Amino acid sequence: MDFKIAVLAGDGIGPEISVQGVDVMSAVCEKFGHKVSYEYAICGADAIDKVGDPFPEKTFQVCKDADAVLFSAVGDPKFDNDPTAKVRPEQGLLAMRKKLGLFANIRPVQTFKCLIHKSPLRAELVENADFICIRELTGGMYFGEKYQDNDKAYDTNFYTRPEIERILKVGFEYAMKRRKHLTVVDKANVLASSRLWRQIAQEMAPNYPEVTTDYMYVDNAAMRMIQEPAFFDVMVTENTFGDILTDEGSVISGSMGLLPSASTGERTPVFEPIHGSWPQAKGLNIANPLAQILSVAMLFEYFDCKEEGALIRKAVDASLDENVRTPEIQVAGGAKYGTKEVGQWIVEYIKKA
């Protein structure tokens, strides 16, 4: 199989972890006889500095023409600390999702046995946690009508039936592939938009009789994720709730540097770590590359290359078991490994497998 990959390294630690993801993808393609080519493009603060646009048209064309996008992170303190800034790196991320029609964000939440002690939750709560958060990406308050002046502001949480139906379809289909349990998260006791979500979910549920479908208010879901994360199998929700809940779910594993994600929809899918750009660590060779590497596993799996994805996951597990880890997850007294060293250890494991 031939792969044409758009690589968007972005800001902060993005370029450092991006290299490791590309190296792993190249090693797997070589091992399995796939041809792969890469085209690099700018985004985020880097693109603002260079061309004044966080997702320039040229970058969009590179993404549109690719089979998949391997994305890293955007964000920079000089924009975070300036509330008057008219252009921000994160606008590039929203533009990419909108222009590529990426309406479904898929975030697996899982734990690693050797890292359960790193979770802020008790081991007996998290040891069996394994669920997927599916977040709607292109609707809701992030894209609805907005207004702000000195005295008032509003964001409109706007959804249409087709938008809700297509993301719920993704949720039901993932549930069918897993343990056949779907939780629809909303705030139907307060929000009209949530009541439409629940109504449509109830209409669709009979089409998936094998799936146990339950409904949960977002505040209850947030508590349940902490009290009993193993309860969930597949969770589906709207954009704003999903943004919050997926970040909450990410800490269950013990480090945001461990979890990948995929954004899929109408055009080219995007695969990326769930974490941000961590600008304070830029150039220090301490960022954990595992989420970026596991996003490559998700990329292969998306294209039904299951053996390739499984090999990457096996290599990541082996690196953790051998204590080849970046500082934030290293055991006390363990050897020092940086971003490059962890990435290259995994590449060598793949080559020898």
Side-chain angles (χ1 to χ4, degrees), residues 87-162:
V87 182
R88 297 177 178 278
E90 293 76 13
Q91 291 171 340
L93 189 56
L94 296 179
M96 178 171 67
R97 293 168 180 169
K98 197 70 173 179
K99 288 186 175 183
L100 293 176
L102 303 175
F103 63 83
N105 181 237
I106 316 299
R107 287 196 182 185
V109 177
Q110 65 181 101
T111 54
F112 299 83
K113 287 185 178 180
C114 63
L115 289 173
I116 284 177
H117 67 285
K118 287 286 186 179
S119 174
L121 302 182
R122 298 196 311 273
E124 62 267 27
L125 293 179
V126 300
E127 58 187 356
N128 294 316
D130 177 11
F131 62 96
I132 290 178
C133 295
I134 298 176
R135 167 191 170 194
E136 200 287 324
L137 271 186
T138 57
M141 285 193 291
Y142 289 8
F143 293 93
E145 182 182 350
K146 300 175 183 297
Y147 177 82
Q148 178 182 355
D149 62 28
N150 288 330
D151 300 307
K152 63 180 180 293
Y154 62 79
D155 301 275
T156 308
N157 198 36
F158 181 83
Y159 272 104
T160 64
R161 174 175 283 271

Side-chain angles (χ1 to χ4, degrees), residues 121 174 229 270 340:
L121 302 182
Y174 264 90
V270 174
K340 297 176 185 176

